[in-house]
Amino acid sequence: MRALTWHGKRDVRVETVPDPTIQHPTDAIVRITSSAICGSDLHLYEVLGPYLTPGDILGHEPMGIVEEVGSEVTHIKAGDRVVVPFNISCGSCWMCSRGLFAQCETTQVRDHGKGASLFGYTSLYGAVPGGQAEYLRVPQAHFGPIKVPDGGPDERFLFLSDVLPTAWQAVQYADVPQGGTLAVLGLGPIGQMATRIGRHLGAERVIGVDSVDARLQMAARHGIETLDLRTVDDTADTLIELTGGRGPDAVIDAVGMEAHGSTGGKLAKAAQGAVGLLPDKLAQPLTDKMAVDRIDALLAALKAVRRGGTVSLSGVYGGEVDPLPMMEMFDRGIQLRMGQAHVKRWVDDIVPLLTGDDDPLGVLDLTTHQLPLDDAPHAYEVFQKKEDDCIKVVLQP
């Protein structure tokens, strides 16, 4: 089959690799019809190379048609149309029984002290071959795949794999009071959906923050108040001013470890780049124990949110020694919630919004680029550089 493989920093290639096969009775094989590029895939493209091996297959936002199932898989069958969640969970362990599917004890990567295995996301998360490919072996398929209706375009359901549950969880964790104000930092795919879900779940005012015209325009199309970073000197101060001097009730950081901004962020970027030049044996312990994120968005969220408010992190972070303003956080009583999305925990809430005649979350207005799988290396470059008004790429094998 053809698959997108990693070969080094900013070096991904579409190659012919062996077809996947059933290895365990709880496996399934899915023929991929669509697979999106996630913003967190760009961390692999740029800074997380020490935990990748040349030839690793990337991608964790796939859907397709079931080709074959193992003997213990009964809830789906060959021919079913399914979305595959990005995290791999068993559905029955202590963690899963409490809805903490991203911490599944059956698939935890204990050698690295990490949570549930993820598709296409480094040895830290199990080195499981990913879904930017023609076919995908799905472990724990007796629980994971989400069966969806046959009708409608893939983009109606594809984002159940990651974007929608990640954004839904971010808003739930933000705990915005009815009639309250939510600010969302970063209007990539997760940020876009977080703004729309925030409105859907009752926030009276939602402010989307970014510096890219296409992203700001997309948010505005969906009735979101926007703040252009290029027009302000200080993001936190401006959000406080916009909310009567108090600050938003909640702030979602949908940016993560590669935020752009201050001198500190530039130094962290330089540190990330320097570690990336080291041999893997040297880079891995530095990444695991001494990593520093570019935390400008997180600092802005912490400083902008009102006293007693909540900061919710959906952007991926990988640092171990990030400096945080702990005295200010403690004094202001800030609540901080974060983590990988527990995809299956939110599916029952989201699916009814996707199966009707309307499109209340605007899922059909998120994809900006549909490209064949063979164009994936170009798609990664365009997405990283934010060229051609690129917000969301969907690859079609």
Side-chain angles (χ1 to χ4, degrees):
M1 70 173 182
R2 302 286 282 170
L4 183 80
T5 58
W6 181 92
H7 286 274
K9 185 174 181 178
R10 301 178 200 156
D11 181 3
V12 294
R13 310 170 193 173
V14 178
E15 300 180 312
T16 299
V17 303
D19 289 352
T21 59
I22 297 288
Q23 298 179 16
H24 303 285
T26 53
D27 286 351
I29 303 297
V30 176
R31 175 175 57 82
I32 302 302
T33 56
S34 292
S35 188
I37 301 177
C38 179
S40 63
D41 287 330
L42 298 182
H43 303 322
L44 310 183
Y45 191 64
E46 187 71 26
V47 302
L48 289 180
Y51 289 98
L52 288 160
T53 300
D56 282 354
I57 300 173
L58 305 185
H60 58 266
E61 296 188 7
M63 69 174 293
I65 306 298
V66 177
E67 292 281 304
E68 183 182 0
V69 299
S71 60
E72 295 182 15
V73 178
T74 59
H75 83 292
I76 56 171
K77 64 184 186 303
D80 284 347
R81 188 187 195 193
V82 297
V83 176
V84 181
F86 75 93
N87 41 30
I88 302 168
S89 49
C90 72
S92 59
C93 68
W94 191 92
M95 288 288 182
C96 287
S97 68
R98 287 155 176 79
L100 301 173
F101 302 111
Q103 307 300 334
C104 174
E105 291 180 328
T106 300
T107 72
Q108 277 179 19
V109 187
R110 290 178 171 83
D111 288 348
H112 290 290
K114 296 297 184 284
S117 296
L118 310 179
F119 287 101
Y121 215 80
T122 79
S123 60
L124 289 172
Y125 288 98
V128 182
Q132 290 168 6
E134 292 181 317
Y135 293 91
L136 175 68
R137 180 180 76 89
V138 182
Q140 305 296 324
H142 65 289
F143 175 72
I146 304 161
K147 186 176 178 180
V148 296
D150 290 333
D154 277 4
E155 285 79 4
R156 170 72 76 163
F157 303 104
L158 175 62
F159 305 124
L160 276 171
S161 59
D162 183 349
V163 173
L164 286 169
T166 295
W168 194 279
Q169 178 170 296
V171 175
Q172 291 286 352
Y173 280 10
D175 195 25
V176 187
Q178 287 291 311
T181 298
L182 170 68
V184 178
L185 307 186
L187 292 174
I190 303 298
Q192 295 286 344
M193 280 300 166
T195 60
R196 303 175 200 178
I197 291 167
R199 286 284 297 272
H200 177 77
L201 293 179
E204 181 173 311
R205 187 181 184 192
V206 180
I207 305 170
V209 182
D210 208 294
S211 61
V212 178
D213 287 332
R215 294 178 170 195
L216 293 163
Q217 291 162 6
M218 177 179 280
R221 282 201 302 273
H222 292 270
I224 304 304
E225 183 180 348
T226 60
L227 175 62
D228 186 342
L229 286 173
R230 296 166 297 185
T231 67
V232 301
D233 294 325
D234 187 288
T235 304
D237 286 348
T238 303
L239 287 171
I240 291 168
E241 290 172 6
L242 288 172
T243 52
R246 182 175 291 117
D249 296 292
V251 180
I252 292 173
D253 170 6
V255 179
M257 69 168 75
E258 294 188 76
H260 299 283
S262 68
T263 300
K266 294 173 183 175
L267 290 173
K269 179 180 181 180
Q272 290 171 347
V275 170
L277 297 174
L278 296 172
D280 288 353
K281 292 294 185 182
L282 297 176
Q284 286 182 3
L286 287 173
T287 301
D288 189 38
K289 303 299 184 185
M290 295 298 293
V292 179
D293 294 308
R294 288 141 64 182
I295 58 172
D296 299 273
L298 174 55
L299 292 175
L302 292 169
K303 291 181 178 296
V305 72
R306 66 162 170 81
R307 288 179 177 273
T310 303
V311 171
S312 172
L313 306 187
S314 64
V316 174
Y317 282 93
E320 290 282 350
V321 291
D322 293 330
L324 294 177
M326 293 302 299
M327 183 176 72
E328 184 173 359
M329 294 165 63
F330 182 84
D331 175 71
R332 298 178 61 227
I334 294 171
Q335 301 176 76
L336 188 60
R337 297 199 69 183
M338 67 192 85
Q340 302 279 11
H342 306 294
V343 175
K344 296 293 291 277
R345 180 173 176 174
W346 311 112
V347 166
D348 290 346
D349 294 318
I350 299 170
V351 166
L353 304 176
L354 308 179
T355 53
D357 294 332
D358 56 353
D359 183 13
L361 300 182
V363 294
L364 297 179
D365 184 25
L366 185 65
T367 302
T368 55
H369 291 66
Q370 290 182 324
L371 296 168
L373 178 64
D374 282 342
D375 288 347
H378 172 66
Y380 266 77
E381 181 180 4
V382 169
F383 190 25
Q384 187 196 43
K385 294 180 178 179
K386 301 182 178 70
E387 296 176 340
D388 194 30
D389 293 341
C390 183
I391 296 175
K392 189 64 175 177
V393 179
V394 174
L395 303 171
Q396 296 172 323

